[in-house]
């Protein structure tokens, strides 16, 4: 199977025997039959160590990303596990100053007190020096600024310095970008967003290029108990089946919205890597396979954001992204170092004409 849509639909669903369920449900048991004392330990023996529902989902995601996947209870559980595994006293952890803010909190509040140096660089800036680093964490496109960095170039420099490289691929998705072939050691994502795609689960994963690293990540998950629920994993796997379709509509809607925003006086600093005139487009087009539905723009003030959201019928105010419904989040409310009126907008799967008309009408209502 080579096509994105086929792999999304069939991933993790091997052919079954006659009479098997075509759409098997989640395995909810916390315990499994161990057999007799002299029998070998089965693959599944306790719910914190393994579950067939996890295995099916991990097989599907791992196939898309080109490595061995380990599912987690959330994106932050996945990210913090990798950070703690790689950070060692006397070394440095390097991460983006403009990426997801909680990753910086983990570094500054949990790793720094353990004699781990924390270095921050802007995603689109020069990532140096890397000497003494044990982990380099990238986020491209970044959240919420949608800046882009060159994964291959930074991975080569990081490996030369003896560091492992992790890429937060949440905004791009496995269909939009494959960091492992570009040199990353880990791919991390919040599957709460586009992979599950329906806003009804919290989930994350780590995919590793090296099976030995994957084994370490899996053991850390078992020890910490940062495990996903079988029902949530099953829902994410079901949502993954339509990722190809959803991403296509979301990217189409994002492109149309960007064109509309560029022509409206209320919106400024419109950014979307898929736009040829965007500062990140040249690098993004070299390493991204497809565009997505995440864009950002700035309104004159926080009050203007309120006017925009109040006037819109199709844009919900929520802090996640990648779902069926278009949503917008004023990122300054969470402490990001961005203008008060900056909005990260996640284009949903609505009809393009309806969505553009709604957003333009809401922009017309902005007075502040």
């Amino acid at each position: 199977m080579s096509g994105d849509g086929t792999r999304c639909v069939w991933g993790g669903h091997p052919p079954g025997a006659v009479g098997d369920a075509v759409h098997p449900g989640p395995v909810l048991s916390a315990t499994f039959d161990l057999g007799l004392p002299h029998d070998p330990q089965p693959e599944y023996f306790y719910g914190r160590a393994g579950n067939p529902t996890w295995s099916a989902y991990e097989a599907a995601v791992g196939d898309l990303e080109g490595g061995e996947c380990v599912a987690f209870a959330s994106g932050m559980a996945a990210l913090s596990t990798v950070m703690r595994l790689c950070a060692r006293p006397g070394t440095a952890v390097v991460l983006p100053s403009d990426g997801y803010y909680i990753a910086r909190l983990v570094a500054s509040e949990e790793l720094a007190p353990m004699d781990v140096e924390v270095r921050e660089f802007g995603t689109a800036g020069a990532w140096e020096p890397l000497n003494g680093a044990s982990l380099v964490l990238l986020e491209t496109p970044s959240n919420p600024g949608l800046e882009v960095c060159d994964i291959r170039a930074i991975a080569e420099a990081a490996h030369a310095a003896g560091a492992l490289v992790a890429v937060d691929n949440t905004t791009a998705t496995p269909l939009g970008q494959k960091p492992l072939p570009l040199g990353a050691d880990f791919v991390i994502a919040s599957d709460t967003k586009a992979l599950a795609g329906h806003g009804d689960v919290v989930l994350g994963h780590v995919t590793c290029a090296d099976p030995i690293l994957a084994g370490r990540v899996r053991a850390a998950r078992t020890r910490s108990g940062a495990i996903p629920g079988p029902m949530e994993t099953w829902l994410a796997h079901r949502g993954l089946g339509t990722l190809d379709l959803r991403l296509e509509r979301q990217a189409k809607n994002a492109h149309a919205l960007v064109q509309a925003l560029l022509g409206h006086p209320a919106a400024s600093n419109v950014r979307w890597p898929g736009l040829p005139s965007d500062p990140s487009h040249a690098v993004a087009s070299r390493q991204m396979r497809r565009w997505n539905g995440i864009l950002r723009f700035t309104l004159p003030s926080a009050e203007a954001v309120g006017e925009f959201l109040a006037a819109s019928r199709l844009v919900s105010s929520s802090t996640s992204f990648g779902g069926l419904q278009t949503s917008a989040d004023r990122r300054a409310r969470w402490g990001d170092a961005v203008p008060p009126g900056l909005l990260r907008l996640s284009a949903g799967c609505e009809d393009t004409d309806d969505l553009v008309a709604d957003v333009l009408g809401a922009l017309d209502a902005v007075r502040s």
Side-chain angles (χ1 to χ4, degrees):
M1 299 187 295
S2 59
D4 286 346
T6 304
R7 295 167 76 188
C8 285
V9 169
W10 285 98
H13 297 296
V18 174
D20 284 354
V22 175
H23 305 288
V27 176
L28 300 176
S29 181
T31 55
F32 300 85
D33 193 326
L34 298 176
L36 299 177
H38 60 273
D39 289 334
Q41 182 169 292
E43 179 180 2
Y44 304 108
F45 55 90
Y46 183 57
R48 181 164 48 81
N51 181 286
T53 309
W54 302 350
S55 298
Y57 179 68
E58 291 168 345
V61 176
D63 176 64
L64 290 174
E65 293 188 323
E68 185 172 337
C69 175
V70 183
F72 279 84
S74 68
M76 275 312 305
L79 177 58
S80 59
T81 295
V82 170
M83 293 176 73
R84 295 184 187 111
L85 270 179
C86 296
R88 299 188 302 275
T91 67
V93 167
V94 183
L95 70 166
S97 59
D98 53 345
Y100 188 46
Y101 70 103
I102 296 184
R104 297 195 299 276
L105 287 178
V106 171
S108 62
E109 297 188 6
E110 297 187 28
L111 303 183
M114 297 165 50
D115 191 29
V116 175
E117 179 188 354
V118 178
R119 299 180 199 159
E120 297 183 7
F121 298 109
T123 295
W127 284 70
E128 56 184 21
L130 299 179
N131 58 293
S134 57
L135 175 68
V136 175
L137 170 65
L138 309 178
E139 182 179 289
T140 179
S142 63
N143 174 24
L146 301 183
E147 300 287 358
V148 170
C149 62
D150 188 325
I151 296 173
R152 188 184 300 277
I154 297 174
E156 289 176 354
H159 290 155
L164 294 171
V165 177
V167 177
D168 186 331
N169 205 39
T170 303
T171 57
T173 83
L175 301 190
Q177 185 170 266
K178 295 184 181 294
L180 296 184
L182 295 172
D185 301 288
F186 306 94
V187 176
I188 303 167
S190 169
D191 301 351
T192 307
K193 313 300 192 292
L195 261 68
H198 292 73
D200 52 6
V201 301
V202 175
L203 204 76
H205 78 268
V206 177
T207 300
C208 305
D210 182 351
I212 294 176
L213 284 179
R216 292 177 59 198
V217 171
R218 197 177 301 276
R221 179 186 67 180
T222 301
R223 289 193 301 268
S224 68
I227 58 172
M231 178 60 76
E232 287 82 357
T233 308
W234 180 80
L235 285 170
H237 197 173
R238 186 176 70 168
L240 179 64
T242 59
L243 176 61
D244 176 53
L245 298 172
R246 290 184 281 108
L247 198 64
E248 181 178 3
R249 173 60 70 86
Q250 290 165 345
K252 177 184 177 181
N253 283 348
H255 182 263
L257 287 173
V258 165
Q259 298 295 333
L261 289 164
L262 288 171
H264 199 284
S268 62
N269 299 317
V270 181
R271 296 291 303 273
W272 183 58
L275 188 68
S277 60
D278 191 274
S280 67
H281 182 78
V283 176
S285 61
R286 291 198 302 267
Q287 64 190 23
M288 292 185 70
R289 303 170 64 244
R290 297 170 59 168
W291 308 120
N292 60 11
I294 314 301
L295 58 110
R296 58 100 158 169
F297 61 96
T298 302
L299 295 178
S301 64
E303 291 73 23
V305 171
E307 293 166 354
F308 170 80
L309 292 171
S312 172
R313 295 183 302 109
L314 298 180
V315 181
S316 65
S317 176
S318 61
T319 191
S320 194
F321 57 86
L324 296 176
Q325 298 176 334
T326 297
S327 64
D329 188 16
R330 190 178 74 85
R331 293 304 301 174
R333 73 186 297 173
W334 307 112
D336 281 322
V338 297
L342 185 142
L343 272 176
R344 181 191 65 205
L345 189 141
S346 173
C349 295
E350 298 90 351
D351 286 321
T352 304
D353 290 345
D354 290 342
L355 184 58
V356 170
D358 178 79
V359 168
L360 286 176
L363 288 172
D364 288 341
V366 172
R367 298 183 302 275
S368 301

